[in-house]
Amino acid sequence: LPLETLQSGGAGPLYLKLRQSLEEAILSGKLNHGDALPPERDLADYANVSRVTVRKAVDDLVRDGLLVRRHGSGTFVVRPVSRVEQSLSRLTSFTEDMARRGLNTRAEWLERGLFHPSPDEMMTLGLAADALVARLGRLRIADDMPLAIERACVSAEFVPDPLAVTSSLYSELEKKQARPVRAVQRISACNIKEPDAAMLGVAVGAAGLSIERVSYLASGRVVEFTRSLYRGDAYDFVAELTIPE
Ligand code: GLP
């Protein structure tokens, strides 16, 4: 960070100059989303300013959402995302949606294995208690920005080996001729709590969209029951409306 020049360069309050250098570093990607900011004392020494100045600059950036303070663990960088426009009427996969925008996706796995279904999952997927389901829990990341946490549940019939799912669930289902053709999706507003906030790199209480998708095969059988948490600052859901017949 070019903080050494703070004292020399131009007029104006030091904290504003510090704020500006930090902001530039965040927006230009020199500091990455989720990076820890050095401790206040180190920043003050390094930039040759007082800790009060550092605190004021940091407070400003926290207020503007470019930094987030996490109790007991420090201050972290939040790089704003450009909002993604998502159609509400097309049944597509996350991987496809991101590829269409030229973004690369990857996942951090939170859960991936075969389990006995919970009562919820039994009901929704229409399975017996002794059936097996594949649970696929992922932090979904596009171009290094975490966008959503998705927990999919699918009958083990369609995904017998969850560890074989390395990227797209839908392309895995396609191989089994079980790609859904219809889905019902419910979207509700929520506030993001820990530990999800830390995984998504947003402040505790930040706006989120909780999305539930139940998707079906042409036969009417349920294939997928997925609960997701999307960052509220990253998505615009768009639907085309028509006059009822
Ligand atoms: C979207 C949906 C999920 C679905 C997923 C499949 O994100 N909200 O319900 O499971 O797409 O995406 P992919 O095939 O990339 O795993």
Side-chain angles (χ1 to χ4, degrees):
L1 289 179
L3 300 181
E4 309 84 358
T5 55
L6 284 183
Q7 295 282 8
S8 49
L14 271 179
Y15 90 90
L16 274 184
K17 288 194 233 163
L18 176 58
R19 187 214 130 99
Q20 203 185 352
S21 332
L22 287 171
E23 182 171 348
E24 275 165 18
I26 294 170
L27 297 180
S28 68
K30 236 177 260 154
L31 290 172
N32 279 316
H33 186 80
D35 278 355
L37 204 68
E40 226 171 59
R41 189 184 312 115
D42 296 0
L43 266 179
D45 286 351
Y46 179 57
N48 196 19
V49 296
S50 75
R51 287 182 67 172
V52 177
T53 300
V54 172
R55 194 161 318 139
K56 270 183 95 170
V58 170
D59 281 348
D60 242 42
L61 291 166
V62 168
R63 198 198 50 220
D64 290 350
L66 292 176
L67 290 175
V68 57
R69 283 203 176 92
R70 255 183 243 302
H71 206 71
S73 51
T75 305
F76 297 85
V77 171
V78 180
R79 185 140 59 91
V81 270
S82 36
R83 296 177 74 90
V84 162
E85 223 176 75
Q86 180 69 44
S87 159
L88 272 177
S89 50
R90 275 198 309 266
L91 179 50
T92 51
S93 78
F94 184 85
T95 309
E96 291 163 347
D97 291 336
M98 294 304 132
R100 201 172 316 112
R101 300 181 175 97
L103 303 178
N104 287 316
T105 54
R106 65 187 173 86
E108 265 166 37
W109 288 93
L110 308 173
E111 184 178 41
R112 184 167 35 163
L114 293 177
F115 300 86
H116 286 295
S118 67
D120 252 25
E121 293 165 348
M122 268 169 59
M123 287 248 292
T124 309
L125 295 174
L127 295 173
D130 61 354
L132 284 177
V133 293
R135 287 204 198 119
L136 304 162
R138 293 175 280 182
L139 174 65
R140 314 216 62 171
I141 302 165
D143 273 8
D144 285 330
M145 294 296 283
L147 291 182
I149 295 170
E150 290 206 305
R151 296 179 184 277
C153 180
V154 180
S155 163
E157 234 177 280
F158 304 127
V159 179
D161 178 11
L163 290 178
V165 184
T166 48
S167 53
S168 164
L169 169 62
Y170 277 18
S171 63
E172 213 52 40
L173 291 172
E174 212 163 308
K175 288 187 205 154
K176 290 253 171 322
Q177 261 99 58
R179 183 171 170 135
V181 296
R182 186 172 74 83
V184 174
Q185 184 160 287
R186 178 184 297 272
I187 304 178
S188 23
C190 64
N191 293 104
I192 304 178
K193 299 199 266 299
E194 292 293 27
D196 298 341
M199 282 192 266
L200 291 169
V202 297
V204 174
L209 296 159
S210 148
I211 301 182
E212 228 179 69
R213 182 184 287 186
V214 177
S215 63
Y216 301 82
L217 298 179
S219 66
R221 175 149 184 215
V222 175
V223 207
E224 172 200 17
F225 175 33
T226 296
R227 283 165 281 197
S228 315
L229 175 64
Y230 280 60
R231 281 172 61 170
D233 61 349
Y235 276 86
D236 286 318
F237 286 94
V238 180
E240 183 181 310
L241 308 181
T242 53
I243 296 175
E245 314 251 306

